[in-house]
Amino acid sequence: MIFKAFVVASLACASFAAPATDSADAPRCNVSSAIIETVGSTLPAPEYTPSFVGLGVGTQNYTCAASGTYTNVGALAEIFDISCLYGQPGFDDLTSVISLLWNAAPPVVTPSEIIAFGEKYDLSFVLGEHYFVVNPVTGSGLNPKWDFTSHAFAGNPDAYVVGSKVDDVPAVTGASDIDWLYLKNLTGSLANEIYRIETRGGQPPASCTPGSNNITVKYTSLYWFTGGEF
Ligand SMILES: *[C@@H]1O[C@H](CO)[C@@H](O)[C@H](O)[C@H]1NC(C)=O
Ligand SMILES: *[C@@H]1O[C@H](CO)[C@@H](O)[C@H](O)[C@H]1NC(C)=O
Ligand SMILES: *[C@@H]1O[C@H](CO)[C@@H](O)[C@H](O)[C@H]1NC(C)=O
Ligand SMILES: *[C@@H]1O[C@H](CO)[C@@H](O)[C@H](O)[C@H]1NC(C)=O
């Protein structure tokens, strides 16, 4: 029931004012003159024009370090196309509203299930997925990847970007929201820059018992992508 409400709300949001198009037409609305709103943070201004804006819904994953604090070990999120909502009333509240629904969903609703839902129904407002991969350049450590090869640009193997973090600042909205980030492309031709802003949730508890299980913490965020070849 709640999951259905969540999906319907996402669908209503993402398809608002959007013409029905096939999934190859991404983004559904042109955001090239959009302003990436980072006021209140020290994140740098973009060097390229915006190409995509996505709503990320997923989890941040943590493991308990020997020091008794959580360390981030990746994330998994579905990225919804919200380009047609840019400039509309409510755009600024999207991550808050969806965060309320996401947090209210029962534990059986996982990011994998949301992704599977997108696969099953071939939702044209899904851009793709966000997850972590071994650094493709150095072969060690994990880097974030945004992968649009199974949705927005299905069949195009270059429609992804692996990012390398340049800047990381506390969320303007407070300590319970994960940091705002600015990344540049490491590999892939989807984008030259990636912003994670307007985050909600995703922060782990302040302490943990070493040896305890890994945890996942729900979050939502805006992801802006600039430049790229798509
Ligand atoms: C988006 O709008 C810009 C500015 O009007 C234009 O240069 C660009 O070609 C448009 N992109 C697409 C994919 O239509
Ligand atoms: C993160 O957690 C999700 C469950 O929410 C899981 O499916 C995914 O594999 C995890 N990824 C990493 C890198 O730990
Ligand atoms: C990022 O993409 C640009 C092309 O748009 C390329 O010149 C640059 O080398 C790429 N950066 C990295 C780290 O690969
Ligand atoms: C927790 O995550 C780390 C990093 O992904 C992994 O190496 C470790 O095996 C996981 N621990 C448990 C208890 O699942």
Side-chain angles (χ1 to χ4, degrees), residues 127-219:
L127 286 172
E129 285 79 45
H130 169 49
Y131 52 93
F132 278 66
V133 293
V134 172
N135 183 312
V137 175
T138 64
S140 76
L142 290 177
N143 279 59
K145 179 172 178 174
W146 291 268
D147 181 352
F148 292 5
T149 63
S150 61
H151 281 284
F153 300 104
N156 189 325
D158 298 325
Y160 74 89
V161 61
V162 174
S164 179
K165 193 163 72 181
V166 175
D167 217 345
D168 183 333
V169 301
V172 167
T173 43
S176 61
D177 302 324
I178 45 170
D179 287 1
W180 290 16
L181 307 178
Y182 171 72
L183 306 94
K184 287 199 164 178
N185 61 311
L186 185 61
T187 59
S189 43
L190 183 68
N192 289 88
E193 300 162 299
I194 305 105
Y195 287 83
R196 182 180 81 186
I197 61 173
E198 289 300 337
T199 52
R200 297 292 184 276
Q203 291 284 30
S207 63
C208 56
T209 306
S212 58
N213 287 337
N214 290 351
I215 62 166
T216 59
V217 182
K218 291 178 179 180
Y219 82 106

Side-chain angles (χ1 to χ4, degrees), residues 70-111:
Y70 282 109
T71 306
N72 189 280
V73 287
L76 180 66
E78 187 76 321
I79 310 289
F80 298 94
D81 180 12
I82 51 167
S83 57
C84 297
L85 289 178
Y86 177 77
Q88 302 290 333
F91 182 83
D92 295 341
D93 300 324
L94 263 180
T95 54
S96 293
V97 171
I98 300 299
S99 175
L100 287 173
L101 293 167
W102 182 210
N103 283 313
V108 296
V109 182
T110 63

